[in-house]
Amino acid sequence: MATTVRRTVLTLPAGPLGPENPLPALRPLDETHVVDERDRAALPRDMARQIGFQPLSTVLPARILDGYGRERTPTALDAIVIENDRLRATVLPGLGGRVHSLHHKPTGRELLYRNPVLQPADFALNGAWFSGGIEWNIGATGHTALSCAPLHAARVPAPDGGEMVRLWEWERLRDLPFQVDLWLPEDSDFLHVGVRIRNPHEHTAPVYWWSNIAVPEGERTRVLAPADEAWHFGYERTLTRVPVPVSGSVDRTYPLRGEFPADYFYEVPDGARRWIASLDEDGHGLVQTSTDLLRGRKLFLWGSGAGGRRWQEWLTEPGTVGYAEIQAGLARTQLEHVPLEPGAEFSWLESYGPLSADPLTVHGEDWAAARAETEQRLAEVLPRADVEAAHAAWRPFADTEPGESLATGSGWGALEVRRGKYELPGTPFADSTLGEQQQPWLELLDQGTFPEPRRAVPPGPSMVSPHWRDMLETAPAEPLTEYHLGVAQWHAGDRAQAVRSWERGLVLAPSRWPLLRCLAVAAEEGRQRDRAADLYGEAFDDLCAERRDEDEAWTAAAAALGREALEALLTAGRPAAARSVWAALPPAIRQRGRFRLLEARLLIAEDDRAAARAVFDEGFEVEDLREGAQILDEVWAGITDEPLPDRYNFRMRPER
């Protein structure tokens, strides 16, 4: 059959994503993949330089997604199917363009780990993320802020005369447009993926990209890559060079043989073909390869320990097969960002497909032979030269204007194109995509003023790039303008000026709590615990005087500000004031898992450990438990010396 592209609907049990957190993300980035500056001296010079190249300090202007739940209901998801007589790829354009499934028809095998549920969890840079399939990570170290966001999608002519699917968006953390072209040639066993990232600005931009492929794990599943060494990163936040495959007497190429979750960034020699494969006990599985620009390869494993197993269960369903991740990126490790010059672009081609190799050799003790066998089988089914040729064939089509629209992303790209008057062939950001969140910024752009709201509502998203900051500085100094200006100044590192802007806005602000909350965060970051507690208390009281509990946006604001206020008051040693905030929260918010945990902390502060223990005994789930978080261990240790119950054990590193 010829390759076809069609829209369909995929129904999965899904946890609700919930509303955006309306509080601007002013706090330092909560990312586990960080290496202490003192440890960089032992790293290769180019690696150390790229680790230190413009790392993010916050996720502004993105908003945090932490309003999701764990009560899953059947949910219809828009999907795009790309299919020939060999492969069927199912893509979710509304969820970061995730490739949900890659089905090999001749063998009936699913090549990816296909999650049977869609369960948001706190792994993305801005919160909500879900496991499974192939995800496209752009922005900064970590899972992209677009993990659960819609992308633009359309049909585009393919190099072989058929059709391909283009996904594209404006990545806001780095202010860069990108595209992903999915091309399945007729009669091919391999899905080709052309990727392009462009820098339309007059400054050098830091770029991060990792394609993240979830594959089924098994006792005899082995991950192979062309390397004899790897950089190991554990959740102790250290980066060390280790041999491959055996490290610490354990063969780490088998994901279930390690105890704790860990990353292994393979040291692929210059000139070697770029590839990574996951093969089961019979030598069957998935291989990913690419043109040479995509140099990095990585294995992430959950390990066999209790914490890793608990996370696997948390992200899917008990009793389902677990998964590991094989990945490919622009740098050797995920701690690095690569410079992209003004007006330049990065482009490469990836290929995904089935691979079969001799199982005795693949699982033998001779690592060199196992690698050679796998690479030889890859060369037979997809020669390196064919990948280069496919990239060359695709490249002229990258500028082709899309045809029929298959999905619509955000309006932020249209706003940026309108402001910067950028010419971006192949990735149109139409004015028709401009929506409610972009309208105030459109008015600032066209009229030089930022509109004040007609009624009391939580503020909309902020813009923080230098261009928008300059416009805010020259706009009339209304309270909401000062609020957004302060957020942009904070993002730029000018924290004293941000505080002055927020303080000026307070003078005439009809709604004071957004400004008071920003000042509270500034006080916390300055280690002024008592002042932060005072400001949080005042901000929460002001919000309670305005809020309408039947409105989703106000409920999200009350939950977000109430949580921060409770934490600040407990840190300042004010349990009575924290109890007042707790009592003022809507009952439905108090029943959420995050707030049950806060309740236990409040009871400990009130010296009622028996009641705090009862909260744990009754059971709760912290829906937005952060990857690598130790908070459950810490609160439990404040109650008892007993071992942490299994249901709360999400440890990703050895106990200290």
Side-chain angles (χ1 to χ4, degrees):
M1 62 178 288
T3 301
T4 61
V5 173
R6 58 184 170 87
R7 282 184 285 192
T8 188
V9 174
L10 179 68
T11 300
L12 290 177
L17 191 58
E20 294 178 331
N21 183 327
L23 307 184
L26 302 175
R27 300 183 189 281
L29 191 65
D30 182 17
E31 170 53 41
T32 58
H33 294 80
V34 177
V35 173
D36 191 286
E37 190 168 347
R38 292 170 296 182
D39 295 334
R40 294 181 197 167
L43 300 176
R45 186 173 300 176
D46 63 329
M47 182 185 292
R49 183 172 59 251
Q50 291 188 163
I51 288 175
F53 179 53
Q54 297 187 29
L56 283 183
S57 57
T58 75
V59 296
L60 289 167
R63 283 185 148 186
I64 301 297
L65 296 175
D66 58 4
Y68 47 84
R70 293 189 58 81
E71 293 185 6
R72 297 190 286 262
T73 57
T75 303
L77 305 170
D78 289 335
I80 301 170
V81 175
I82 310 165
E83 186 172 15
N84 65 8
D85 60 351
R86 310 289 295 176
L87 279 180
R88 181 171 61 248
T90 304
V91 182
L92 303 178
L95 293 164
R98 184 79 59 97
V99 179
H100 174 72
S101 168
L102 191 60
H103 178 79
H104 187 233
K105 294 181 178 181
T107 60
R109 288 192 289 113
E110 172 60 45
L111 302 180
L112 305 174
Y113 168 74
R114 184 178 57 193
N115 198 332
V117 303
L118 198 163
Q119 178 55 60
D122 193 5
F123 279 68
L125 287 164
N126 63 332
W129 171 86
F130 63 102
S131 65
I134 307 171
E135 60 175 310
W136 318 112
N137 288 299
I138 181 173
T141 296
H143 292 282
T144 178
L146 296 169
S147 291
C148 293
L151 303 190
H152 301 283
R155 298 177 191 266
V156 182
D160 63 353
E163 289 185 319
M164 60 184 177
V165 172
R166 175 162 301 157
L167 307 167
W168 74 98
E169 232 327 336
W170 194 281
E171 201 287 313
R172 301 181 68 211
L173 301 189
R174 298 304 193 183
D175 217 13
L176 300 175
F178 74 99
Q179 71 189 76
V180 177
D181 287 357
L182 303 163
W183 168 32
L184 183 57
E186 187 174 352
D187 299 325
S188 175
D189 277 322
F190 282 84
L191 175 69
H192 292 324
V193 180
V195 182
R196 178 166 65 166
I197 303 170
R198 287 184 275 194
N199 179 8
H201 306 297
E202 296 178 353
H203 60 267
T204 300
V207 173
Y208 172 95
W209 182 280
W210 281 80
S211 301
N212 185 355
I213 310 126
V215 290
E217 66 179 7
E219 292 290 343
R220 292 278 293 166
T221 295
R222 192 176 205 186
V223 172
L224 301 103
D228 292 314
E229 291 184 308
W231 292 93
H232 168 260
F233 185 86
Y235 285 79
E236 304 88 348
R237 299 191 175 187
T238 57
L239 190 64
T240 55
R241 194 192 295 258
V242 298
V244 176
V246 177
S247 173
S249 75
V250 176
D251 188 333
R252 308 289 177 173
T253 61
Y254 290 90
L256 283 173
R257 294 188 184 178
E259 183 178 1
F260 290 96
D263 297 327
Y264 291 91
F265 300 102
Y266 294 111
E267 189 68 55
V268 180
D270 290 341
R273 185 176 185 181
R274 272 59 168 148
W275 61 270
I276 189 167
S278 175
L279 303 180
D280 64 18
E281 61 183 352
D282 297 318
H284 303 309
L286 171 85
V287 66
Q288 186 272 1
T289 187
S290 71
T291 49
D292 288 355
L293 183 66
L294 203 66
R295 64 174 297 184
R297 292 298 185 274
K298 170 194 164 182
L299 163 65
F300 168 76
L301 55 87
W302 283 108
S304 59
R309 293 299 95 194
R310 184 71 179 98
W311 272 116
Q312 291 262 26
E313 181 182 86
W314 183 258
L315 295 170
T316 178
E317 286 189 327
T320 55
V321 65
Y323 73 96
E325 294 170 358
I326 57 175
Q327 304 187 20
L330 281 174
R332 280 185 289 184
T333 73
Q334 287 177 330
L335 290 75
E336 302 168 67
H337 300 91
V338 181
L340 180 59
E341 298 302 317
E345 64 180 51
F346 288 141
S347 79
W348 65 90
L349 187 113
E350 306 179 43
S351 298
Y352 297 81
L355 191 70
S356 294
D358 174 45
L360 294 179
T361 306
V362 164
H363 296 288
E365 295 184 4
D366 188 336
W367 171 244
R371 280 175 37 199
E373 163 67 12
T374 307
E375 187 157 354
Q376 176 60 34
R377 297 300 174 217
L378 172 59
E380 292 170 1
V381 295
L382 186 65
R384 186 177 187 177
D386 286 5
V387 177
E388 299 288 346
H391 180 230
W394 164 75
R395 193 62 191 81
F397 287 80
D399 284 348
T400 302
E401 290 304 307
E404 178 195 358
S405 175
L406 300 173
T408 303
S410 78
W412 296 114
L415 183 67
E416 290 297 342
V417 167
R418 188 156 172 173
R419 183 201 60 74
K421 298 180 173 57
Y422 300 123
E423 296 291 335
L424 298 169
T427 54
F429 293 95
D431 282 352
S432 59
T433 62
L434 292 164
E436 181 180 354
Q437 289 189 333
Q438 291 83 42
Q439 285 305 317
W441 299 98
L442 196 60
E443 185 169 330
L444 175 65
L445 178 63
D446 292 343
Q447 301 179 26
T449 60
F450 197 91
E452 290 289 310
R454 295 189 178 91
R455 59 187 177 89
V457 292
S462 296
M463 299 290 282
V464 297
S465 69
H467 309 283
W468 293 105
R469 188 171 73 245
D470 290 346
M471 281 186 271
L472 289 167
E473 287 175 345
T474 58
E478 300 295 337
L480 189 57
T481 305
E482 296 287 7
Y483 163 82
H484 286 297
L485 175 58
V487 173
Q489 290 165 333
W490 181 272
H491 177 263
D494 192 351
R495 299 196 167 184
Q497 190 59 54
V499 168
R500 285 192 285 271
S501 295
W502 291 327
E503 288 176 341
R504 283 196 306 270
L506 270 178
V507 176
L508 296 175
S511 184
R512 293 168 53 84
W513 65 266
L515 292 151
L516 289 167
R517 181 265 175 177
C518 289
L519 290 168
V521 173
E524 276 193 322
E525 292 301 306
R527 300 184 180 180
Q528 299 172 291
R529 292 182 176 181
D530 287 331
R531 174 168 168 74
D534 290 340
L535 289 164
Y536 266 120
E538 187 179 353
F540 187 73
D541 288 344
D542 188 70
L543 182 145
C544 288
E546 291 187 6
R547 81 184 193 212
R548 298 185 298 278
D549 287 347
E550 71 281 358
D551 185 284
E552 184 182 67
W554 280 106
T555 300
L561 185 57
R563 171 180 168 177
E564 290 187 7
L566 281 166
E567 291 175 341
L569 290 164
L570 289 172
T571 299
R574 300 187 191 180
R579 177 59 68 181
S580 296
V581 170
W582 174 264
L585 288 168
I589 291 177
R590 293 202 299 263
Q591 290 304 308
R592 296 179 186 176
R594 172 63 64 178
F595 287 87
R596 297 302 310 281
L597 180 61
L598 278 168
E599 181 184 15
R601 290 177 59 190
L602 176 56
L603 290 164
I604 292 171
E606 293 171 336
D607 202 26
D608 192 349
R609 283 170 173 75
R613 171 64 182 264
V615 172
F616 273 81
D617 290 344
E618 183 179 340
F620 60 88
E621 293 183 322
V622 181
E623 297 90 346
D624 61 335
L625 185 67
R626 184 67 174 168
E627 174 190 13
Q630 301 290 305
I631 186 65
L632 288 167
D633 302 70
E634 293 164 2
V635 176
W636 179 258
I639 297 172
T640 177
D641 292 332
E642 296 176 21
L644 183 70
D646 289 343
R647 69 176 297 176
Y648 302 116
N649 182 3
F650 292 87
R651 293 185 184 121
M652 300 184 77
R653 63 188 182 198
E655 291 186 74
R656 294 177 179 174

